Amino acid sequence: TLEETLQALAERGEDAKVLAGGQSLLLLLHLGLVQPGVLVGLQSLSELKEITLDPAAGLRIGAMTTQRAIESAPLVQQHCPVLARTASLIATVPVRTLGTLGGNLCHNLPGADPPPTLIALDAVARLESSRGRRDVPVADLFQGFMETVVKPDELLTEIRIPAASLGNHAVYLKQCVRDVDPALVGVAVRLVLADDEEATCTDVRIGVGGVSLAPYRAVNAERVLRGERLGPESIAEAARLAADECEPMTDTHGSARYRRKMLDVFLRRAVSAAWHGAAQPAQR
């Protein structure tokens, strides 16, 4: 049960590791990078595998929901298609069939696809422990390299996407070396447009992943667009600002210089696609 799980985490602390889909943890175990004293399996927690919609509260996705289930769920496809498209870009079908949303977020691998989209959607992560529960905006969930604010005795149980974030123009685009790879640059944009002929941007959220060690919200680029009439000039200005302010990393897949350049390119593409209400499948 959930109560037994939380009790086990409270008793064993950092000596325990949670086993969800196993797509990340089992690899770390095989390589000897982690050596927990106990594994706490979550497969029997059926309540963490549910996807529900409350018209007033929004979309709730249990942390044990697989990426494949998110990709194919009618509720997600209808009310939050950008999240379904994002899930479809993760690795391969076998990985998506086992890998879970909660595992993806808690692993915090650089270039993971869901974090930028959930940041743009103002999603909130629910963390539970034997001490109680707390809700953390996904934008505040990530810290450094493969680090989150989730404490050793806490379990991420669900993700909530507010009703206000559903049905708006939202797009996720990624740049990667191969289709199965994490994003070198991943940009998610959600726009709220005024009902006028000026295409005024009344609100905007921009989530960025792959560029640096942890995904983040591009708040200054948002300020450039919020309250302004959208057009090539304002979009280019926001993209330039985001590229100038980012702290890109260099690894075997791409240099910091390349990531900075691609952030400029993909942020412009994502904002433009969201602006035009892009209903096409997500692009790489």
Side-chain angles (χ1 to χ4, degrees), residues 102-179:
N104 183 285
L105 297 179
C106 291
H107 187 50
N108 191 20
L109 180 72
D113 297 302
T117 295
L118 292 172
I119 290 172
L121 292 171
D122 280 336
V124 174
R126 170 152 291 184
L127 307 179
E128 298 193 41
S129 71
S130 59
R131 297 175 286 105
R133 63 175 55 167
R134 61 185 178 125
D135 291 335
V136 178
V138 172
D140 299 330
L141 189 67
F142 312 104
Q143 293 185 316
F145 176 67
M146 296 176 66
E147 294 182 348
T148 70
V149 301
V150 182
K151 297 179 180 179
D153 67 336
E154 287 184 317
L155 182 69
L156 193 161
T157 56
E158 67 181 40
I159 296 295
R160 296 185 176 187
I161 300 172
S165 295
L166 303 178
N168 293 309
H169 299 308
V171 170
Y172 173 69
L173 302 181
K174 70 183 287 189
Q175 163 75 342
C176 54
V177 178
R178 303 171 303 168
D179 287 351

Side-chain angles (χ1 to χ4, degrees), residues 189-192 201-206 217 222 225-226:
V189 175
R190 177 176 63 88
L191 291 176
V192 180
C201 173
T202 60
D203 199 12
V204 57
R205 292 290 187 277
I206 301 174
R217 180 178 165 191
E222 293 173 0
L225 300 172
R226 190 176 292 111

Side-chain angles (χ1 to χ4, degrees), residues 191-253:
L191 291 176
V192 180
L193 303 178
D195 188 16
D196 58 28
E197 296 180 358
E198 301 298 319
T200 303
C201 173
T202 60
D203 199 12
V204 57
R205 292 290 187 277
I206 301 174
V208 177
V211 176
S212 55
L213 294 178
Y216 63 94
R217 180 178 165 191
V219 293
N220 288 326
E222 293 173 0
R223 292 191 183 104
V224 172
L225 300 172
R226 190 176 292 111
E228 299 295 327
R229 177 181 179 182
L230 292 183
E233 292 184 359
S234 61
I235 294 173
E237 181 183 355
R240 284 194 300 267
L241 179 61
D244 289 342
E245 292 186 339
C246 74
E247 298 179 0
M249 62 180 178
T250 293
D251 60 15
T252 56
H253 296 298

